[in-house]
Amino acid sequence: MAAVSGLVRRSLEQVTVREAINQGMDEELERDEKVFLLGEEVAQYDGAYKVSRGLWKKYGDKRIIDTPISEMGFAGIAVGAAMAGLRPICEFMTFNFSMQAIDQVINSAAKTYYMSGGLQPVPIVFRGPNGASAGVAAQHSQCFAAWYGHCPGLKVVSPWNSEDAKGLIKSAIRDNNPVVVLENELMYGVPFELSSEAQSKDFLVPIGKAKIERQGTHITVVSHSRPVGHCLEAATVLSKEGIECEVINMRTIRPMDIETIEASVMKTNHLVTVEGGWPQFGVGAEICARIMEGPAFNFLDAPAVRVTGADVPMPYAKILEDNSVPQVKDIIFAIKKTLNI
Amino acid sequence: MQRHDVASVTNAPIVAPRAFSPRDTQKVGGVALAVWVVGGCGCPVLHSMKKMLAAAVSRVLGGGAQKPASRVLVASCNYSNDATFEIKKCDLHRLEEGPPVTAVLTREDGLQYYRMMQTVRRMELKADQLYKQKFIRGFCHLCDGQEACYVGLKAGANPSDHAITAYRAHGLCYAYGLSVQSILAELTGRRGGCAKGKGGSMHMYGRNFYGGNGIVGAQVPLGAGVALACKYKGSNEVCLTLYGDGAANQGQIFEAYNMAALWKLPCIFICENNRYGMGTAIERASASTDYYKRVNFIPGLRVDGMDVLCVREAAKFAADYCRSGKGPIVMELQTYRYHGHSMSDPGISYRTREEIQNIRSKSDPIMLLKDKMLNNKLSSIEELKEIDVGVRKEIDDAAQFATTDPEPPLEELGHHVYNNNLPFEVRGTNQWIKFKSIS
């Protein structure tokens, strides 16, 4: 009995997203000597958000490197190291600061394999928290999914839960291409059950494949990162009213798994997209455009609808901030509107 | 008297005829051969030389040699094996000692440097021509005048050292092993180009050579990163990280200086100061034009970039410094470009023709090396002319290829987006046009 219950406890472990990313990086650092982490406060401070806790103690100065406040410089150094055969993980304290270094991400990393005619790969990971936090105001709240998702040569992933976080960071590190991993600060402390499969050191979540988190028949709700949780909450509420939502967790922004979304829309005939970023030229806009171009268009019984962040720089006051990010009630409203309920 | 191409076994072909006179002729295999003898050599060994010659020739011909009858071995006692030169002392910043003030040039090295510089020169001039004939499009930044920098750097560093530069890259590309043919074909955008026509002038890569970078200054942190990888792997290699006087004012370069010094990265920061950043003279762009002194905490050298020996000795000094684990070092190469910034810049609105002509006549790097070699009997006019002929042919053949090789196939437009990836489809200009993408 004791042995069985021990097994059961081990097979469903509660792991926070922070711990999951930490585990993923730890396993990959152990697996391959060429992997190393650099960024501000990643070593002795254990990470600005404690995501890299314990790694410097375990791996030391050579592999966990504290940088000065020089995003453009250290991102470039990371890209150069990747070109010369190492596998760096370059942390941006938040992706807002990546704007200082965006030339290195796009022009030096993303485009190089193509420009060199296939001679020079750049196996680098850029990771850090992306999007809105709580009360950090306009300069610290921008979502970069659309900006990075725009660029050929990059892969862009956006984990929601712990399984996503661990599996995607591992896949990103093992990928020979520049991968942008858009984490979410508000999700770092949220615990999820991690299956025994997901606890394995070889567990990977494939880049480029979405996951259907909840099956449904009436409407397809597509999201990425923290809003996936809000969509599931909305689905629970609506289920009581007899509306069954199919909730899709994109997991990857680029290359986008449009096929999974299309198959779902062809089943449900309705589509709502949900994201934290601004509406114009955003992830939802891209999904809508592609749905129109593909087989699913003819199955739509209503126009596709987008739920996004408000089209303003993020305000500070709580009432304003709360109304600038998509809430569960906004998702429910959009779903009912689409279903004409 | 006919001159024939000779294959030199003793590293000594026919001596230039202008100062000497023929003493003897022999008919070998139906080919008239002139044996030139140095007047000043005073060879009492002339007779035994003739014997040696005859023996050598019959060895070649009698042995059923594949060499054509016109290839003949000629011994000569004229050339020196090497010579020692005084070179300009480098200005130093935070260094007690600098590179040596004398340099030994062997005949072999001299011929190689001459050939390489001449190749870069001719290649750039050919690119100029091809651009005007519209075989090359877009950007084309030429480096003629700066040849000594590239050849000297390569000569002073180790073969396994790394290098990276900005967009005026063709000379360094060649020095780092890319063939003239692959460079010109990349400029003309053909499938035989070193990047398969995907990159063009500013994006050429090779072994231990990281381009070719279009964004001014971005290559400097990249170079520091390559140096980090060298240190990380314990490979005892350094990274030569080149940038111009214009780029020297980029903030990211100072970020790279700081981290390279902090972490003692084996990075040689090399500022090619050719006096103009595009159309802006250094005095108009930089509060301080002592680029080698820019960093308070990194030592620096200022080097005569028109003298290949100066550059070589400085590069060797700098590489040794880095390799010893002391951290980065800055090298400023004072050099000059004859062309304007790019092919769309005539280069005379911000500088005078007189200035350009002055440099050409007094400081041309190829001329300086040639004079050194001739004045010290390391070579002869004939021999150098022969090299010129060979270089010209190489360039012409390469240009021929570059203008006739087909463009990359349209089907490959989507290739090389990702490395080590399963094939996938890339969207074209509308939703119905798709390209297959293979790694």
Side-chain angles (χ1 to χ4, degrees):
Chain A
M1 244 353 244
V4 169
S5 64
L7 274 169
V8 166
R9 233 179 295 130
R10 232 190 356 260
S11 72
L12 283 177
E13 207 182 297
Q14 285 271 329
V15 172
T16 63
V17 170
R18 171 186 288 115
E19 287 161 351
I21 301 170
N22 185 286
Q23 276 178 31
M25 287 200 289
D26 191 355
E27 287 169 10
E28 295 306 302
L29 283 157
E30 197 175 276
R31 177 180 175 269
D32 185 349
E33 261 189 9
K34 298 191 290 298
V35 177
F36 71 99
L37 171 67
L38 87 169
E40 293 157 10
E41 311 299 343
V42 297
Q44 296 189 18
Y45 198 85
D46 274 335
Y49 299 97
K50 307 300 179 202
V51 176
S52 53
R53 180 188 284 133
L55 295 179
W56 175 66
K57 261 215 181 89
K58 184 171 175 186
Y59 295 102
D61 286 331
K62 179 179 171 180
R63 304 191 63 203
I64 313 292
I65 304 175
D66 275 335
T67 64
I69 307 175
S70 310
E71 274 76 7
M72 199 169 185
F74 72 69
I77 283 178
V79 174
M83 288 180 177
L86 298 182
R87 303 188 78 89
I89 308 167
C90 176
E91 177 178 303
F92 291 119
M93 197 182 280
T94 76
F95 267 95
N96 300 287
F97 313 144
S98 75
M99 280 200 285
Q100 309 234 311
I102 201 163
D103 175 67
Q104 297 287 5
V105 177
I106 306 301
N107 279 322
S108 301
K111 297 178 183 172
T112 292
Y113 190 64
Y114 187 87
M115 290 191 300
S116 66
L119 286 180
Q120 180 62 72
V122 186
I124 188 167
V125 172
F126 297 103
R127 54 157 290 273
N130 173 63
S133 179
V136 294
Q139 291 178 344
H140 289 75
S141 304
Q142 187 168 333
C143 174
F144 289 83
W147 283 30
Y148 289 120
H150 190 54
C151 300
L154 278 186
K155 295 189 182 180
V156 182
V157 299
S158 181
W160 165 55
N161 62 9
S162 297
E163 183 179 298
D164 292 352
K166 183 169 179 189
L168 286 173
I169 191 71
K170 285 166 74 75
S171 291
I173 293 168
R174 294 191 196 190
D175 201 305
N176 274 4
N177 298 288
V179 183
V180 170
V181 181
L182 302 171
E183 298 160 9
N184 187 294
E185 199 226 311
L186 296 173
M187 294 303 295
Y188 280 154
V190 179
F192 291 90
E193 274 169 6
L194 212 53
S195 66
S196 54
E197 189 210 346
Q199 289 169 47
S200 140
K201 283 194 177 168
D202 284 309
F203 172 71
L204 300 172
V205 165
I207 296 178
K209 201 83 190 72
K211 184 179 177 200
I212 300 176
E213 297 286 350
R214 183 188 193 282
Q215 302 257 1
T217 47
H218 296 122
I219 185 164
T220 300
V221 185
V222 186
S223 186
H224 73 96
S225 190
R226 184 160 177 264
V228 171
H230 298 327
C231 294
L232 288 168
E233 272 186 63
T236 305
V237 169
L238 287 166
S239 180
K240 298 193 185 88
E241 298 175 41
I243 301 168
E244 294 304 328
C245 302
E246 182 145 288
V247 176
I248 299 180
N249 171 6
M250 289 176 72
R251 287 179 155 179
T252 299
I253 306 293
R254 181 177 190 112
M256 190 187 290
D257 179 6
I258 195 67
E259 288 81 19
T260 298
I261 303 172
E262 278 172 337
S264 175
V265 170
M266 284 158 79
K267 186 176 77 171
T268 68
N269 312 123
H270 298 86
L271 175 62
V272 169
T273 70
V274 184
E275 69 200 281
W278 292 318
Q280 293 197 37
F281 311 97
V283 175
E286 176 66 15
I287 293 173
C288 290
R290 291 222 211 169
I291 289 293
M292 279 215 287
E293 291 174 350
F297 173 70
N298 287 312
F299 288 78
L300 282 173
D301 286 345
V305 159
R306 299 174 293 161
V307 179
T308 69
D311 203 11
V312 290
M314 184 67 72
Y316 168 68
K318 188 158 197 321
I319 185 176
L320 299 180
E321 186 181 61
D322 285 348
N323 284 277
S324 298
V325 295
Q327 299 182 45
V328 176
K329 65 169 172 64
D330 300 318
I331 302 171
I332 292 173
F333 183 86
I335 290 171
K336 286 186 167 173
K337 260 308 219 187
T338 311
L339 290 171
N340 208 19
I341 295 167
Chain B
M1 214 66 71
Q2 281 174 301
R3 272 203 70 247
H4 303 277
D5 282 349
V6 291
S8 162
V9 162
T10 59
N11 255 351
I14 299 178
V15 173
R18 69 189 159 120
F20 317 112
S21 53
R23 291 293 179 88
D24 203 352
T25 51
Q26 286 210 335
K27 246 201 159 69
V28 179
V31 167
L33 168 77
V35 176
W36 301 88
V37 176
V38 176
C41 180
C43 276
V45 297
L46 170 63
H47 199 69
S48 51
M49 269 180 69
K50 273 169 59 178
K51 275 198 174 154
M52 253 165 49
L53 172 64
V57 168
S58 56
R59 204 166 49 235
V60 169
L61 296 178
Q66 275 71 43
K67 289 185 183 155
S70 60
R71 292 203 170 267
V72 179
L73 312 168
V74 177
S76 163
C77 66
N78 187 53
Y79 293 125
S80 316
N81 271 331
D82 56 52
T84 305
F85 298 94
E86 272 176 26
I87 53 176
K88 189 169 167 201
K89 185 175 189 302
C90 293
D91 296 320
L92 302 178
H93 169 65
R94 299 202 171 265
L95 279 169
E96 293 295 318
E97 282 173 9
V101 293
T102 59
V104 174
L105 178 66
T106 66
R107 198 179 114 74
E108 194 183 324
D109 281 347
L111 291 172
Q112 190 199 30
Y113 302 162
Y114 179 84
R115 193 186 52 75
M116 285 177 75
M117 290 203 286
Q118 194 69 286
T119 305
V120 173
R121 174 69 56 92
R122 296 245 153 255
M123 177 177 73
E124 296 294 79
L125 295 178
K126 178 59 73 176
D128 172 285
Q129 189 183 51
L130 290 173
Y131 194 92
K132 286 169 178 156
Q133 293 172 328
K134 300 203 189 304
F135 283 107
I136 300 177
R137 312 176 310 120
F139 290 130
C140 191
H141 307 89
L142 301 176
C143 67
D144 47 311
Q146 301 185 201
E147 295 86 356
C149 295
Y150 312 120
V151 174
L153 286 173
K154 187 72 172 84
N158 283 357
S160 58
D161 285 334
H162 307 252
I164 188 170
T165 186
Y167 50 76
R168 198 177 305 281
H170 312 154
L172 196 62
C173 289
Y174 175 74
Y176 265 76
L178 293 177
S179 69
V180 177
Q181 178 174 291
S182 70
I183 293 173
L184 289 183
E186 186 60 35
L187 291 176
T188 55
R190 307 301 167 105
R191 64 180 71 182
C194 53
K196 303 190 175 76
K198 290 295 233 342
S201 171
M202 300 183 292
H203 307 295
M204 304 187 187
Y205 296 79
R207 195 184 152 270
N208 287 8
F209 178 65
Y210 306 88
N213 288 275
I215 306 297
V216 171
Q219 77 279 11
V220 178
L222 294 182
V226 172
L228 185 146
C230 292
K231 182 170 178 178
Y232 190 102
K233 293 191 218 173
S235 66
N236 209 35
E237 293 158 0
V238 305
C239 184
L240 283 63
T241 302
L242 282 73
Y243 55 99
D245 48 274
N249 295 320
Q250 272 268 311
Q252 58 186 317
I253 294 187
F254 291 87
E255 295 186 10
Y257 286 153
N258 180 42
M259 285 181 273
L262 201 57
W263 301 330
K264 293 198 168 14
L265 303 181
C267 184
I268 309 178
F269 293 104
I270 301 170
C271 179
E272 283 175 274
N273 178 4
N274 61 17
R275 307 200 204 170
Y276 299 92
M278 202 157 159
T280 304
I282 50 177
E283 297 79 25
R284 291 205 304 126
S286 300
S288 161
T289 56
D290 292 331
Y291 297 100
Y292 71 112
K293 281 190 190 170
R294 277 284 171 102
V295 200
N296 207 18
F297 45 82
I298 300 181
L301 315 166
R302 182 159 56 190
V303 181
D304 179 359
M306 303 306 260
D307 179 349
V308 67
L309 291 179
C310 239
V311 177
R312 184 188 76 183
E313 293 305 312
K316 189 168 184 312
F317 175 87
D320 286 345
Y321 181 93
C322 285
R323 247 184 273 285
S324 68
K326 296 195 187 105
I329 190 169
V330 175
M331 249 171 79
E332 178 187 337
L333 303 176
Q334 293 190 300
T335 183
Y336 199 83
R337 54 164 162 82
Y338 295 141
H339 267 84
H341 164 70
S342 69
M343 286 305 297
S344 54
D345 171 25
I348 45 169
S349 61
Y350 49 87
R351 54 184 192 173
T352 61
R353 285 188 210 270
E354 289 73 41
E355 179 186 282
I356 306 170
Q357 198 39 47
N358 199 32
I359 305 276
R360 259 196 217 278
S361 56
K362 297 212 181 87
S363 316
D364 183 281
I366 300 177
M367 178 194 77
L368 290 178
L369 177 65
K370 184 173 175 179
D371 287 348
K372 282 190 164 76
M373 292 185 64
L374 293 179
N375 295 340
N376 292 272
K377 298 198 170 66
L378 294 173
S379 183
S380 66
I381 295 248
E382 280 291 319
E383 184 177 31
L384 296 182
K385 265 209 182 99
E386 213 179 293
I387 294 178
D388 291 349
V389 167
V391 166
R392 201 163 286 134
K393 181 169 193 313
E394 184 183 349
I395 306 299
D396 285 343
D397 287 350
Q400 175 65 15
F401 176 81
T403 50
T404 53
D405 196 40
E407 284 188 294
L410 189 57
E411 300 76 57
E412 289 182 14
L413 185 147
H415 287 3
H416 309 124
V417 172
Y418 293 136
N419 173 262
N420 196 32
N421 217 60
L422 291 172
F424 67 101
E425 273 186 344
V426 157
R427 185 191 164 108
T429 50
N430 63 42
Q431 70 207 58
W432 298 281
I433 299 176
K434 298 227 188 288
F435 294 97
K436 193 158 192 205
S437 183
I438 307 247
S439 290

